[in-house]
Amino acid sequence: MTHSATAHAGAPEAPSWAYALPFTLVWASAFPATKFALLDSPPLLFLAGRFLLAGLLLLAGLLLLAWAWWQGERIRPGRADWLALIVLAGCNHALYLGMSWSAMREASAGLATIIIGAGPIVVSVLAVPVLGERLTWRKAAGLLLGFAGMVFIVRHRLSGQIDTLHGTLLLLAALALLSTGTVLYKRLRVGIGSSANVALQLLLAAAIMLPWALATESLDEVHPNARLAASMAWSVAVVSVVGYMLWFALLRRADASRASAWLFLTPPLGLLVGWAVLGEPLALDDFLGVIPVIAGIALVTRAGAMPKPSAMPAPCR
């Protein structure tokens, strides 16, 4: 055990909500950043650049921060680790976001929110056979309550005018990928530290995304300007780096269903961010849906004892 590990052995762990609340706020801020970015760049090319820059930024941080070595953090994956990282990079980043962003051209924001917002329910169902988690009546009631509140909040934003079968199928595929990636993060053991884990996932996501983007989109569609640069900077530094670090930290401290239940809070926070940044109108009755969302999260996160945090993901947006 290193000196740092000894020093921190008796330190109390932060509660899960200390990671969940800032994560949901960061995740909600991705919506206006995405709207700005798509005005000047195709979705896949933007995502490839975002993942590459975020991964390089995290790797640079690993090289510059002495605490990673001081705490004994391993940053060199083995052969089995690389396979797990590729799967996680595809599910949690490249394929999930690539499909969901591409679907935005053919589906309304309301439909996308509802389909992707069903993630906590899918994760909880998958976690039963894959992770051995229990789906109690209290947890199930909380999931349904949270989902109902989220649907109520976005009900006015459902627009069948642009919803296509192809766009809907892309969103369903994105939902399946994100849910699978969340559960696999808990199931697969990657023998490196958490920072290196996120950094390598982002770099691998860029490697997966870039050929896909270049094959389906044109660089001529990218219009470099201050707005695109600001969107990229926020998406890289805040959404990808800070957001994913918080998300995976939350997943290490809570089981998959409890961690993913916090995603129900993203739509109401997204409305607030959209109002503050984009000037989008708010309807007072939209926030009636916050009541069942909060009640649902409380039911799920308090259903039974929380597992002890672990340094590595054990046998989840």
Side-chain angles (χ1 to χ4, degrees):
M1 181 179 292
T2 65
H3 170 75
S4 177
T6 303
H8 294 286
E13 289 286 345
S16 296
W17 60 263
Y19 295 90
L21 292 179
F23 163 73
T24 52
L25 184 58
V26 165
W27 214 239
S29 74
F31 294 116
T34 300
K35 286 191 175 183
F36 283 129
L38 294 183
L39 294 174
D40 301 299
S41 172
L44 301 185
L45 285 172
F46 182 85
L47 285 170
R50 166 183 155 181
F51 294 145
L52 179 61
L53 291 175
L56 289 174
L57 182 59
L58 278 171
L59 281 183
L62 283 175
L63 295 175
L64 294 174
L65 295 177
W67 61 261
W69 174 83
W70 183 251
Q71 293 184 345
E73 180 171 327
R74 181 185 168 200
I75 60 174
R76 295 183 60 184
R79 293 181 180 178
D81 297 330
W82 279 113
L83 179 59
L85 286 168
I86 291 171
V87 172
L88 293 174
C91 291
N92 288 314
H93 307 277
L95 300 179
Y96 151 61
L97 283 172
M99 289 186 178
S100 58
W101 277 42
S102 297
M104 293 299 182
R105 294 177 168 180
E106 306 176 49
S108 62
L111 180 65
T113 301
I114 288 175
I115 291 179
I116 300 300
I121 296 175
V122 179
V123 166
S124 297
V125 172
L126 288 176
V128 174
V130 178
L131 302 177
E133 294 183 8
R134 294 180 58 203
L135 185 58
T136 64
W137 69 266
R138 182 172 180 172
K139 187 182 290 187
L143 290 168
L144 294 176
L145 196 59
F147 183 70
M150 184 198 65
V151 172
F152 182 85
I153 291 169
V154 303
R155 70 195 186 285
H156 294 314
R157 291 156 185 84
L158 281 171
S159 172
Q161 296 178 350
I162 62 171
D163 294 334
T164 67
L165 177 60
H166 182 254
T168 302
L169 290 175
L170 283 176
L171 288 171
L172 290 171
L175 167 64
L177 286 163
L178 177 61
S179 303
T180 301
T182 300
V183 172
L184 287 180
Y185 183 82
K186 298 286 288 185
R187 185 69 179 87
L188 299 176
R189 291 184 177 273
V190 181
I192 55 176
S194 58
S195 299
N197 192 325
V198 176
L200 291 175
Q201 281 192 52
L202 290 170
L203 283 172
L204 288 168
I208 296 170
M209 181 68 70
L210 193 56
W212 181 13
L214 292 175
T216 58
E217 298 173 348
S218 172
L219 289 172
D220 294 334
E221 298 179 68
V222 180
H223 307 292
N225 54 41
R227 180 175 59 193
L228 181 61
S231 299
M232 178 65 79
W234 184 267
S235 297
V236 169
V238 179
V239 179
S240 282
V241 177
V242 177
Y244 277 111
M245 290 292 288
L246 288 169
W247 173 237
F248 291 133
L250 174 62
L251 281 176
R252 289 192 302 275
R253 286 162 174 79
D255 64 27
S257 53
R258 291 186 178 95
S260 60
W262 287 97
L263 293 173
F264 287 139
L265 201 56
T266 303
L269 289 176
L271 292 181
L272 285 176
V273 173
W275 167 77
V277 177
L278 303 174
E280 295 181 344
L282 287 176
L284 186 59
D285 61 344
D286 285 345
F287 290 93
L288 292 175
V290 175
I291 298 173
V293 165
I294 294 176
I297 292 173
L299 282 173
V300 174
T301 56
R302 298 191 179 194
M306 296 294 291
K308 295 181 179 179
S310 57
M312 294 301 303
C316 338
R317 298 108 301 300

